[in-house]
Amino acid sequence: MYATNYHRASSVADAVRLKGTGEETKYVSGGMTLIPTMKQRLAAPSDLVDLRHVAEMKGITVSGGTVRIGAATTHAEVASSAEIKAACPALSHLASLIGDPHVRHMGTVGGSVANNDPAADYPSAMLALGAMIVTDRRRIAADDFFTGLFETALNEDEIIVAVEFAAPEKAGYSKFPNPASRYAMTGVFVAKSASGVRVGVTGAGSDGVFRHSGMEQALAGNFSPDALSGVTTDPADMLSDLHGSAEYRANLVNVMARRAVAAAT
Amino acid sequence: MGVEGIGARVARKEDKRFLTGKGRYTDDMVVPGMKYAAFVRSPHAHAKIKRIDASAAEKMPGVIAVLNGQQMLDDGIGNLICGWMIHSKDGSPMKMGAWRPLAHETVRYVGDAVAVVVADSVGEARDAAEQVVVDYEELPAVTDAATALTAGQPQLHPEAAGNLIYDWAIGTSEAETDAAIAAAAHVTEMTILNNRLAPNPMEPRAALGVYDSAEDHYTCYTTSQNPHVARLVMSAFYNVAPENKLRVIAPDVGGGFGSKIFIYPEEIVCLWASKRAGVPVKWTSDRTEAFLTDAHGRDHRSTVKMAFDKDNRITALKVDTIANFGAYMSLFSSSVPTYLYATLLSGQYAIPAIHANVRAVYTNTTPVDAYRGAGRPEATYLLERTIETAARELGVSPAELRRKNFIRSFPYQTPVIMNYDAGNYEASLEASMKQADWAGFPARKAEAEKRGKKRGIGMSCYIEACGIAPSAAVGSLGAGVGLWESAEVRVNAVGTIEVLTGSHSHGQGHETTFAQLVADRFGVPIDSVSVVHGDTDKVQMGMGTYGSRSGAVGMSAIVKALDKVEAKAKKIAAHLMEADESDIVIENGEAKVAGTDKTVPWFQVALSAYTAHNLPGGMEPGLKEGAFYDPTNFTFPAGCYICEVEIDQETGKTDIIQFVAADDFGNIINPMIVEGQVHGGIAQGIGQALLEGVHYDAQSGQLLTASYMDYAMPRADDLPSFQVSHQNTPCPGNPLGIKGCGEAGAIGSPPALINAITDAIGNNDLSMPATPQKVWAAIHAAH
Ligand SMILES: Cc1cc2nc3c(=O)[nH]c(=O)nc-3n(C[C@H](O)[C@H](O)[C@H](O)COP(=O)(O)OP(=O)(O)OC[C@H]3O[C@@H](n4cnc5c(N)ncnc54)[C@H](O)[C@@H]3O)c2cc1C
């Protein structure tokens, strides 16, 4: 790891100010992606601004059917939150499947969403839940937020403060973990609400997380696993690597989607 | 058996320090003035080095020295060598290309070391290493061994035309074997791949070189399974320093699995750099360096023909194997696919004709050498996949086909050198089938079918050769060293005992089992027995630990030393009690005159030896004896493993429902430790069969699996609860009747698992690791 300067931000405004100082300053949240990258000497920020102690970015609130999760909330907190288990158990389930206990107690929702790893779990839920990514300066719909592999609509110094979504009627998440990393080889999040059904797929798409419109249409009329039997996923749009060919991933998308629907509560 | 003696489940003495984080590993060693090394490594699989420019690096903060391979050559540091000579069929010696500790002309794999930076901190050393500019002329690379043998491929070493290191054969003549195959009623033919593995001990390799200019003396702390061999090789071949000027210390070592047998460039460089730079130099590998540079295991491509007569008796076996050696010949690489592999191709079966041909090949990949099992897993996998396949083709039960062909009378001379001394293969087969409820499988399969799961069962009957081995025998086969072991038993003046052993524990629990042996002999508590190992200044020359030899060979040496101590102690006790020496028995911590109530406590015997006030006439003072033990034969642990799996057809994921291991290890000193060895071995075997695999990009030679993001290690939830049992036949060849247990789990398990999966999915065309994607594809190919 290269030497770096550490700063602890006390507020969102303080964090943005600190980001403007230093040669190449980066935000750090749980550090579960950024620190390993630095240890492998693939990133060399001169300064780190720690977001985990900013009060405005912490905590979970559910009011009037709207769920708000502060960006600095850890995966473990989401996995064990009684409020989230009541409002959207599928999201608690998703958080419980991330990494190992160490990672879940350090890694945060904001970090995961900002990083937009094509195999990360949260982005699929954000898309399927039609979430709003709340930043220090605007609200970005999930549909507009995830723009490609490791790419988002965030500006250079923009901070995710929270994510918000309306509690769905029903939702389910099914993940097939990569045997080595245990990130999602394919993860499918399905959510049914008054405005329809949304399906978010992570781990599989060659452009990163995506919504599966064929599945959404099929499920709109009949929210059951069988409704998906005729739906296909084009391998041409899938990732292919050591762990899974495009054909295999296309298959997993369908299998995980059926299981997510079956599990939806 | 006492509560702490032979056969007792004594908790491991060493675990307290390990579990409380107080183990002392090489990286924990701190010496005054110590500095840190970082290596500049080749990013290319194959390239010529045109120029190394260290001027920018030398100016970096904290940098003490930047050293290169030309300087090493100028200082007379020798090539790394392979210490086992193999001759090809045509009589020519193996073709060993030069391996420089720091490459100065050509790099041959990604990770090949080209320079070293010594600096005040690890961070500064690494920062500076990045500033060393190496001008490479890239050359085409080849990573697959079969490809490397074909015309027009990149050539790695001028010494080895066509990348061929040797073309070796063993066993019955090819003509005779072919004739038997031609006359067969049935022939099963297969192509068998044995995947390449990264050893992944928990502790990465490390070295600390300390040069003392006052004495012109070197000390090397290093992660070694065999510190004396390291000293021998570094002195005799690498010209680092004469043996009396080189002390090698292998302190606590966190796992090796073979990978820490070999002498690597880094420890030589640390020693040499310590003199050059005038400071102690420490290097500790990071995990990616470990993936790149720790010797890999396995990587075979074989074709096999197994011939049967009309009664389903095996009449012949013909094997042709291509073994990938990587870019250089590692220390014992040549012996692995020859004498540790092809000599086991008879398995547990009476096969009248066996012919095996092995070609060893250079490729632009990490060097390959012994890895837990070393050769024997490759032999077992090949045989057990083939006989299982034959049973399917012949339409007979796999258990019956094996049973019919078992060797039943001992000693048994195979056509491939080995002479099996003892065994009862049927006993392990019966025990494992009973434990696994083999007969109830069809009902379980039908029940799984109802749940939409494909259930399969598979077995594997392995044999291995351990305790390597009689020195004269391995010498005649080309080994550059003898494979005896040494021990010294020092009884201190008030009766506590130190055992100095040439074996080395890096997870095996020697501090406990070796102490049990002594406790058993004299009836003293194991806490009064200490085991000393891993330091060439403290311990007499020894050969170290690998090949499941610490029990069969290392403990036999201790037994011999104990015999001598006991004999002398009896003489002293007889003298003290005015009794006849032949009437003395030593037990429960005292010497007694049999049939009387006369006793002398053990400490009194020891004290008498050292006060020397009243010893038998002419006796030397002291109670300390040494012994060397050279085994008379290999030992032959064997067993039967059964694995039952359920496959999720939609995803191809395998769940291991049960795993049964029935082993014959001969006599057992500590059953708990033996079970632990079996559990760990099976976990590694399941890792190989289901998850692990080193992959290179075929064009660029880049290592694609250089971290745990891509290299899948078995985790606890990948494994079932193992059911292990023993059906022991004592080994006639050594005083304790021990066969060895360190590798069996890794040897026996892969074929059992793949046989089970292929049984479940009804497609035999499946290679390791059987990842979900491969199993899914195989299910689809079958329908
Ligand atoms: C062993 C291991 C296993 C893992 N397994 C999984 C898994 O199964 N599934 C999965 O989804 N993830 C997995 N992860 C990743 C983990 O979930 C990370 O926590 C997450 O991806 C990043 O969150 P973080 O809080 O650690 O972010 P950091 O690493 O601190 O930051 C990541 C990036 O986001 C930026 N950033 C962080 N917070 C903000 C913010 N509020 N606003 C703007 N930018 C921000 C940082 O500048 C950085 O560029 C794993 C990680 C590890 C180490």
Side-chain angles (χ1 to χ4, degrees), chain A residues 1-2 39-41 176 178-183 241-245 247-248 251-252 255-256 258-259, chain B residues 123 126-127 130 288 648 650-651 653 691 695 704-705 708-712 715 717-718 772-773 776:
Chain A
M1 191 157 114
Y2 300 95
K39 281 189 174 171
Q40 289 180 298
R41 302 172 81 84
F176 193 82
N178 176 310
S181 71
R182 300 249 172 130
Y183 274 72
D241 61 19
L242 203 60
H243 306 284
S245 64
E247 290 70 26
Y248 181 57
N251 167 67
L252 284 181
V255 174
M256 292 302 119
R258 284 206 304 279
R259 292 182 186 180
Chain B
R126 290 192 176 181
D127 286 350
E130 282 177 3
T288 291
D648 178 343
E650 293 183 324
T651 64
K653 183 163 180 351
L691 296 154
H695 291 273
L704 302 176
T705 46
Y708 293 131
M709 290 297 284
D710 292 304
Y711 190 90
R715 291 169 167 89
D717 66 355
D718 290 314
Q773 120 159 292
W776 176 81

Side-chain angles (χ1 to χ4, degrees), chain B residues 233-573:
Chain B
V233 173
M234 288 199 278
S235 292
F237 299 98
Y238 307 158
N239 294 329
V240 175
E243 272 174 302
N244 63 326
K245 295 285 185 187
L246 175 58
R247 175 182 185 184
V248 177
I249 302 172
D252 282 335
V253 174
F257 311 119
S259 70
K260 293 174 182 166
I261 300 172
F262 326 120
I263 321 305
Y264 292 86
E266 290 84 0
E267 47 265 33
I268 308 166
V269 170
C270 284
L271 284 166
W272 168 75
S274 176
K275 181 174 184 181
R276 268 259 177 183
V279 290
V281 177
K282 182 196 273 181
W283 166 80
T284 303
S285 168
D286 66 22
R287 192 53 74 179
T288 291
E289 270 182 307
F291 275 111
L292 286 172
T293 66
D294 288 4
H296 289 166
R298 317 226 158 95
D299 201 342
H300 281 195
R301 167 184 287 274
S302 302
T303 56
V304 50
K305 289 182 189 173
M306 188 182 270
F308 294 85
D309 67 14
K310 61 176 187 352
D311 299 324
N312 295 342
R313 278 183 210 285
I314 308 172
T315 54
L317 181 78
K318 188 174 183 189
V319 176
D320 183 38
T321 294
I322 297 173
N324 191 337
F325 271 39
Y328 302 102
M329 291 185 77
S330 177
L331 191 63
F332 289 116
S333 55
S334 56
S335 64
V336 177
T338 49
Y339 294 111
L340 296 178
Y341 162 71
T343 53
L344 273 309
L345 283 171
S346 199
Q348 299 187 350
Y349 314 113
I351 307 178
I354 301 177
H355 179 84
N357 197 102
V358 179
R359 283 170 291 168
V361 184
Y362 279 125
T363 63
N364 296 108
T365 60
T366 301
V368 178
D369 206 324
Y371 169 70
R372 200 171 192 171
R376 291 148 290 166
E378 295 90 310
T380 301
Y381 185 70
L382 178 131
L383 267 181
E384 291 304 295
R385 285 287 293 129
T386 307
I387 196 161
E388 188 85 13
T389 302
R392 290 174 193 167
E393 290 173 358
L394 294 165
V396 299
S397 136
E400 282 319 308
L401 189 61
R402 286 178 170 88
R403 206 176 251 136
K404 173 165 260 167
N405 287 284
F406 276 158
I407 294 162
R408 287 168 192 282
S409 77
F410 296 89
Y412 177 82
Q413 178 61 52
T414 70
V416 280
I417 296 185
M418 289 301 178
N419 189 293
Y420 300 167
D421 52 3
N424 181 352
Y425 308 138
E426 183 102 28
S428 294
L429 181 81
E430 294 288 338
S432 59
M433 287 176 76
K434 191 156 171 256
Q435 177 84 55
D437 184 21
W438 183 274
F441 175 74
R444 297 195 294 278
K445 186 177 173 72
E447 184 277 331
E449 201 81 56
K450 285 193 202 129
R451 287 182 282 113
K453 296 287 171 90
K454 287 189 175 285
R455 199 157 171 132
I457 195 163
M459 67 165 53
S460 149
C461 294
Y462 76 91
I463 187 160
E464 57 159 331
C466 284
I468 52 176
S471 299
V474 295
S476 73
L477 301 178
V481 291
L483 287 168
W484 44 265
E485 195 48 87
S486 72
E488 186 173 299
V489 174
R490 287 186 193 159
V491 182
N492 296 322
V494 286
T496 58
I497 299 170
E498 281 155 23
V499 177
L500 288 79
T501 170
S503 300
H504 182 275
S505 186
H506 34 277
Q508 293 86 348
H510 295 172
E511 287 167 52
T512 306
T513 41
F514 291 10
Q516 281 181 260
L517 193 59
V518 178
D520 193 82
R521 181 64 75 96
F522 301 129
V524 295
I526 61 165
D527 280 341
S528 69
V529 183
S530 298
V531 174
V532 181
H533 63 111
D535 184 339
T536 59
D537 263 16
K538 290 184 183 164
V539 180
Q540 69 291 338
M541 175 73 182
M543 294 310 295
T545 290
Y546 35 83
S548 307
R549 66 194 302 278
S550 299
V553 190
M555 288 178 105
S556 294
I558 298 173
V559 167
K560 280 187 69 181
L562 286 172
D563 288 345
K564 296 183 194 173
V565 168
E566 184 177 359
K568 185 166 181 184
K570 280 183 173 170
K571 282 200 176 74
I572 296 170

Side-chain angles (χ1 to χ4, degrees), chain A residues 214-261:
Chain A
M215 288 183 175
E216 291 184 355
Q217 280 156 25
L219 291 169
N222 173 13
F223 192 77
S224 77
D226 291 342
L228 294 172
S229 42
V231 182
T232 55
T233 302
D234 188 354
D237 301 331
M238 297 291 109
L239 277 172
S240 180
D241 61 19
L242 203 60
H243 306 284
S245 64
E247 290 70 26
Y248 181 57
R249 280 191 165 85
N251 167 67
L252 284 181
V253 170
N254 287 32
V255 174
M256 292 302 119
R258 284 206 304 279
R259 292 182 186 180
V261 172

Side-chain angles (χ1 to χ4, degrees), chain A residues 26-36 51 57 71-72 75 97-100 103 106-115 117 119-123 154 158-161 175 181-184, chain B residues 709:
Chain A
K26 272 187 111 48
Y27 296 126
V28 64
S29 189
M32 290 293 97
T33 295
L34 186 52
I35 303 289
L51 303 176
M57 292 177 62
H75 308 326
L97 301 175
I98 295 175
D100 52 48
V103 169
M106 289 297 289
T108 64
V109 175
S112 179
V113 171
N115 196 50
D117 186 310
D121 295 288
Y122 271 117
L154 285 177
E158 196 168 3
I159 296 184
I160 302 176
V161 176
K175 169 180 181 175
S181 71
R182 300 249 172 130
Y183 274 72
Chain B
M709 290 297 284

